[in-house]
Amino acid sequence: MTAWKNVTAIYQVYPRSFMDSDGDGVGDLAGITSKLDYLAGLGVGAVWLSPVYASPQADCGYDISDYRQIDPMFGTMRDMELLIERAHELGLKVMMDFVPNHTSDQHEWFQAARSSRDNPYRDYYVWRDPRDGAEPTNWVSLAGGKAWEYDEASGQYYLHSFMAAQPDLNWDNPRVRDEMHNILRFWLDKGVDGFRVDAEWPISKIYKDDPLNPNYAGDSDEYGSYLHIHCKNGPNMLRYMREMSDVVASYQDRFMVFEYYTEPELGDEIAQYKAIFDLNPRVAGPFVFDMFRMEWHAHDRAARMAKLYACLPQDGRPIHALGNHDQSRVATRLGDSRARALALAQLTLPGIPTIYYGEELGMKDYQMPAGDRHDNFLEGGGMGGRDPERTPMRWNNGANAGFTTGKPWLPIGDDVAALNAHAQLDDSDSFLTLYRDLLHLRAQHDVFRNGVYADVDVQNAYVWAYEVTDGSQRMIVAVNFADQSQVVNMPGKGHMLLSSDPTSVVDRYDGWAMLAPYEAAVFRRID
Ligand code: GLC
């Protein structure tokens, strides 16, 4: 099988929404397996599944009650084994989501822990006495409300950085770390090729109040009203992350991607990325969410990317993502042309890009009526309202877009006739064709996966341009951030390999090139 360093891209499957094989309206493992050929045809090299473990589904599976079981909603352990087997036959790697920070409150550890103060599992979680009859610190939860829940029976509070149904594990307890490492080993032994590590920023904290955010104008006790310098990113976070990645490193060619959001309030964001790149570069790296939190500004982009690539250790791999199940979809945020341009940039940058299901079709958020919503996170929590980006995958123009024969757990949304995989497959102007072409190019040329990034000054403030090179090949990418055509000075001569604009007629350049509004193009230098 392809080594991780040659994986073209990771594809994120949100299992509830990908393909339903049994008509209950919720996607499942057998459904995913039936669509692995589609993913192999698309040209990705790995599939990451958002959590499929046993779970009461208070946070759509990010609240796990048993890390070694598959939730019946998604199928059986046998279905998981068949999925891994079929994926490997097709040359696709499989990544599980790993949720270290918290379990479900239904997990047997938590049930035991809350049963009495001196239960041996008590210390698996974070318990504190009340402070002046109230919460032990002023921390707020990313899911909304306070981060502490009072437990009447034992007279103490427990901590939950997310929902009260997701109590934080106590990572400072070495027994917890051992348990979690053993769960990683359990799945690695089953043949899983890697993990996406969920929300690891709160696994270490300093138990003091967070200061108020002086720049926040909203309601108090909303997530943004504090500077979160104590409730997360604590002094042991990197060490615990490093230990997780060491488990992965003890197996042959496995990989771990950390869900990591840099925090402007913690200072230099590139230094924050660097600390994670440096942990264990051969086997682990952070998502780079820069491109979905970015300002739409060519110069800013160029400067940040130059700094990011300059900070990489040997073997360091940025995992660029344009979206995920927690963020508004890129085509909604930026519109089709800009989403296409960013896809070209994402898939020509060295590292391992990650595609969120449906991004390859240009899927958009769907604002469903309140009665159809499922996300239990509240808006004020900083992360709420995530259903619009989780609507079912569109396979064809049939009933429920071919996703289910039952009633889909979330509505399908509009525009299915044009926006479905079947319709886009043979349409040379479609998003899907662009993604397939880009992934094909990435598979063909190692330089896009493992090359060296360098800035290119094209003397136009509206254009971000870069070169990726491996010494023998030099590829130049130019991204026009303006809604007007731009002339750019290009280095030497080149042949165009691909453009994000299906109407582009350019096929080469000699010293300069003209880019259409929001066009991104990749050229091979030939001089
Ligand atoms: C991560 C997940 C998100 C989940 C949260 C708590 O940010 O991506 O969906 O709600 O962690 O596990």
Side-chain angles (χ1 to χ4, degrees):
M1 172 155 1
T2 326
W4 266 107
K5 74 194 234 328
N6 289 324
V7 162
T8 50
I10 299 168
Y11 187 95
Q12 179 188 358
V13 165
Y14 197 63
R16 297 174 77 98
S17 298
F18 200 57
M19 181 65 201
D20 175 21
S21 73
D22 60 6
D24 67 357
V26 182
D28 48 45
L29 292 172
I32 298 168
T33 305
S34 73
K35 294 297 183 186
L36 290 173
D37 289 274
Y38 165 82
L39 297 181
L42 177 62
V44 298
V47 186
W48 145 35
L49 307 183
S50 281
V52 291
Y53 311 100
S55 162
Q57 305 286 328
D59 183 18
C60 292
Y62 283 93
D63 49 318
I64 298 170
S65 51
D66 188 338
Y67 288 79
R68 291 181 174 82
Q69 296 288 332
I70 298 294
D71 196 282
M73 170 189 272
F74 296 120
T76 61
M77 187 58 88
R78 185 71 200 129
D79 292 327
M80 187 65 215
E81 288 160 359
L82 288 172
L83 185 154
I84 297 172
E85 221 173 279
R86 180 67 188 139
H88 287 175
E89 273 166 25
L90 291 168
L92 294 168
K93 294 186 182 294
V94 178
M95 296 171 88
M96 303 284 280
D97 215 303
F98 179 64
V99 183
N101 180 64
H102 43 266
T103 67
S104 159
D105 61 353
Q106 302 304 307
H107 195 292
E108 58 178 19
W109 300 338
F110 190 71
Q111 296 289 313
R114 82 183 311 175
S115 69
S116 84
R117 283 200 189 202
D118 42 40
N119 185 280
Y121 286 95
R122 184 77 172 178
D123 210 24
Y124 270 41
Y125 295 87
V126 181
W127 298 92
R128 290 287 184 277
D129 290 329
R131 179 178 64 178
D132 306 329
E135 287 80 11
T137 66
N138 66 358
W139 298 351
V140 287
S141 147
L142 266 158
K146 296 280 188 195
W148 295 97
E149 182 78 2
Y150 187 61
D151 179 52
E152 287 286 345
S154 62
Q156 285 191 310
Y157 283 87
Y158 69 84
L159 180 66
H160 56 91
S161 296
F162 296 88
M163 293 169 64
Q166 297 167 293
D168 279 31
L169 284 163
N170 173 16
W171 273 71
D172 295 328
N173 178 348
R175 281 176 63 207
V176 167
R177 301 204 295 279
D178 280 352
E179 297 264 19
M180 298 312 273
H181 296 162
N182 284 336
I183 291 165
L184 292 174
R185 291 188 188 101
F186 172 84
W187 288 102
L188 291 165
D189 290 339
K190 273 211 174 293
V192 157
D193 302 283
F195 299 94
R196 172 266 190 183
V197 179
D198 179 74
E200 75 293 307
W201 56 85
I203 61 179
S204 175
K205 32 233 166 190
I206 299 171
Y207 293 92
K208 295 207 296 205
D209 281 350
D210 277 331
L212 288 174
N213 180 353
N215 301 318
Y216 191 71
D219 294 343
S220 63
D221 272 1
E222 287 198 342
Y223 199 73
S225 66
Y226 293 96
L227 296 174
H228 304 277
I229 58 171
H230 293 136
C231 68
K232 58 184 183 181
N233 287 287
N236 291 318
M237 179 187 78
L238 290 171
R239 191 184 119 208
Y240 298 157
M241 289 166 77
R242 159 91 208 197
E243 288 170 1
M244 283 186 237
S245 67
D246 283 343
V247 175
V248 170
S250 67
Y251 287 72
Q252 179 75 31
D253 198 36
R254 312 290 169 101
F255 200 72
M256 183 167 252
V257 183
F258 292 106
E259 181 195 24
Y260 186 75
Y261 290 88
T262 52
E263 299 286 343
E265 60 223 50
L266 295 179
D268 183 359
E269 291 177 76
I270 297 295
Q272 293 171 48
Y273 279 132
K274 179 167 169 47
I276 298 185
F277 283 123
D278 284 345
L279 288 176
N280 222 336
R282 208 174 41 78
V283 300
F287 277 117
V288 176
F289 292 140
D290 248 58
M291 286 204 272
F292 64 66
R293 302 211 297 184
M294 70 193 255
E295 283 189 53
W296 188 254
H297 190 289
H299 182 72
D300 179 67
R301 190 74 334 237
R304 267 181 86 103
M305 284 296 119
K307 277 196 210 149
L308 181 91
Y309 279 95
C311 88
L312 289 185
Q314 169 95 28
D315 292 332
R317 285 173 213 294
I319 320 292
H320 294 287
L322 302 184
N324 64 31
H325 61 291
D326 300 324
Q327 310 290 334
S328 168
R329 285 183 176 273
V330 60
T332 297
R333 291 189 327 262
L334 297 172
D336 289 352
S337 312
R338 291 192 286 174
R340 291 174 66 101
L342 276 194
L344 187 140
Q346 182 201 16
L347 297 177
T348 54
L349 284 168
I352 312 180
T354 298
I355 298 166
Y356 180 50
Y357 84 95
E359 230 161 57
E360 79 277 22
L361 307 177
M363 262 176 76
K364 297 197 168 61
D365 297 349
Y366 176 62
Q367 298 297 342
M368 64 273 300
D372 284 337
R373 297 201 172 214
H374 279 255
D375 189 6
N376 288 321
F377 281 21
L378 307 171
E379 293 290 346
M383 244 188 155
R386 300 166 296 177
D387 297 301
E389 59 264 23
R390 297 175 175 180
T391 59
M393 176 69 175
R394 283 107 173 278
W395 295 105
N396 56 47
N397 195 17
N400 297 319
F403 162 70
T404 181
T405 54
K407 181 178 182 309
W409 76 286
L410 281 179
I412 304 286
D414 320 309
D415 234 10
V416 180
L419 218 155
N420 71 73
H422 182 74
Q424 292 194 10
L425 201 57
D426 297 320
D427 172 358
S428 57
D429 293 358
S430 70
F431 260 91
L432 186 55
T433 301
L434 174 67
Y435 270 83
R436 284 166 69 104
D437 289 351
L438 282 166
L439 287 161
H440 183 68
L441 204 62
R442 196 169 176 86
Q444 264 183 331
H445 302 284
D446 179 61
V447 60
F448 291 123
R449 304 185 303 267
N450 294 302
V452 173
Y453 176 98
D455 247 346
V456 173
D457 181 6
V458 289
Q459 287 157 32
N460 182 320
Y462 295 106
V463 176
W464 166 35
Y466 55 89
E467 173 186 86
V468 290
T469 179
D470 58 6
S472 63
Q473 298 214 69
R474 304 179 75 179
M475 307 295 193
I476 311 286
V477 177
V479 186
N480 179 6
F481 276 59
D483 59 359
Q484 311 276 317
S485 297
Q486 296 296 320
V487 174
V488 288
N489 287 329
M490 297 286 282
K493 293 183 188 169
H495 273 163
M496 186 189 273
L497 296 172
L498 200 58
S499 164
S500 66
D501 181 346
T503 64
S504 166
V505 289
V506 177
D507 66 352
R508 63 185 59 232
Y509 73 74
D510 185 353
W512 64 277
M514 171 87 104
L515 295 173
Y518 297 139
E519 177 181 6
V522 50
F523 303 88
R524 187 212 313 258
R525 261 188 90 161
I526 51 169
D527 57 317

